[in-house]
Amino acid sequence: MPGTASPFTDIARSRRSPRRFLPTALSPSDIRGVLEDAQTAPSNSNTQPWTVHVVSGAARDALGKELLRAEEEGRTSPDFTDGYGEGIYLERSKALGASVYRSRGVERSDRHGRRAAVRENLEFYGAPHVAFLFMPELGDGVRTAGDIGMYAQNFLLSLAARGLAGIPQTVLGVYADTVREFLGVPAELKLLFGISFGMADPAAPVNTLRTERVPLQRSVVLHDTPGILDRP
């Protein structure tokens, strides 16, 4: 019925990005189902520009070791620039980082602990599977990246609908050449980010972290659409 909240609302609003997973591998049917759901994402002129590599098992373990070695040797190779500016976006990023470290019991002055936390990214937070999302170079890449984002959101919500979980990790894209070489991906495909996925570890303190969202009044501007932002 139009205007009635559906189970989608619960799924979208309860989805979380865990930072510790159980090692249990997912069933082939679950992974295929998630991929089929993700494949229904919209894209500019139906270009469907995503190329997705799913890595599990021994390949996942070996790739994790290669990523850790690249980090130790300082061999970064991002396909895209990053940065948060000097305003509210930087503040939000710092607030998240502080919350993650705090949930792990890592003090800001603990450089060793902070680096260990970062390196857990490259071990996929213990997740048994990782999906790497590659995109072709089309125009300035903005529209293509938007398409990949919509694919990724379908992917994440499909996981949540199945009682599973995933976390998008842009840090994996910092080592794009390492990932491409390991997976045999051509240079013309650019690595936007990866999604580690599986079953979240319910006993991990870091997984109790809940990030806040800004109120609609700070991100939505309405034009001749009254009554939407009246509530606090």
Side-chain angles (χ1 to χ4, degrees):
M1 178 182 298
T4 301
S6 71
F8 172 81
T9 300
D10 295 331
I11 293 169
R13 297 187 185 190
S14 64
R15 189 205 65 80
R16 298 289 183 268
S17 294
R19 288 173 172 80
R20 177 53 51 189
F21 290 82
L22 298 175
T24 309
L26 303 185
S27 70
S29 62
D30 273 334
I31 296 176
R32 181 182 178 91
V34 170
L35 292 169
E36 289 175 336
D37 289 344
Q39 194 73 14
T40 68
S43 60
N44 183 45
S45 295
N46 196 36
T47 49
Q48 304 177 58
W50 42 78
T51 297
V52 182
H53 285 243
V54 178
V55 185
S56 311
R60 170 230 179 263
D61 296 343
L63 178 53
K65 291 178 180 177
E66 289 297 323
L67 288 169
L68 289 172
R69 185 174 298 113
E71 189 272 342
E72 290 171 358
E73 297 173 358
R75 289 187 286 109
T76 58
S77 51
D79 290 327
F80 303 97
T81 58
D82 63 3
Y84 304 103
E86 296 297 331
I88 186 61
Y89 308 115
L90 179 61
E91 293 175 14
R92 292 173 186 168
S93 175
K94 287 183 175 180
L96 172 63
S99 296
V100 171
Y101 292 136
R102 187 164 52 249
S103 69
R104 292 169 46 89
V106 176
E107 299 292 335
R108 183 172 180 79
S109 59
D110 183 359
R111 294 181 61 185
H112 177 76
R114 288 165 65 88
R115 185 185 178 202
V118 170
R119 284 169 63 84
E120 283 193 0
N121 275 277
L122 306 181
E123 297 176 300
F124 318 118
Y125 293 118
H129 312 285
V130 192
F132 291 92
L133 279 62
F134 292 90
M135 54 178 274
E137 295 183 277
L138 303 176
D140 63 6
V142 173
R143 290 184 177 180
T144 309
D147 293 340
I148 303 300
M150 289 186 281
Y151 177 99
Q153 183 71 337
N154 269 20
F155 191 104
L156 292 167
L157 291 177
S158 180
L159 286 168
R162 299 164 192 274
L164 307 171
I167 179 170
Q169 296 173 261
T170 54
V171 70
L172 298 178
V174 172
Y175 301 93
D177 285 348
T178 298
V179 175
R180 261 192 299 268
E181 180 177 355
F182 185 91
L183 298 178
V185 175
E188 59 266 24
L189 289 180
K190 304 305 180 183
L191 178 57
L192 195 56
F193 57 91
I195 300 175
S196 294
F197 66 101
M199 291 187 287
D201 183 351
V206 71
N207 286 348
T208 64
L209 178 65
R210 296 291 181 265
T211 55
E212 296 295 329
R213 294 296 186 268
V214 300
L216 294 180
Q217 289 85 345
R218 295 179 60 183
S219 58
V220 177
V221 179
L222 300 175
H223 302 266
D224 289 331
T225 314
I228 306 301
L229 302 180
D230 293 346
R231 291 187 300 165

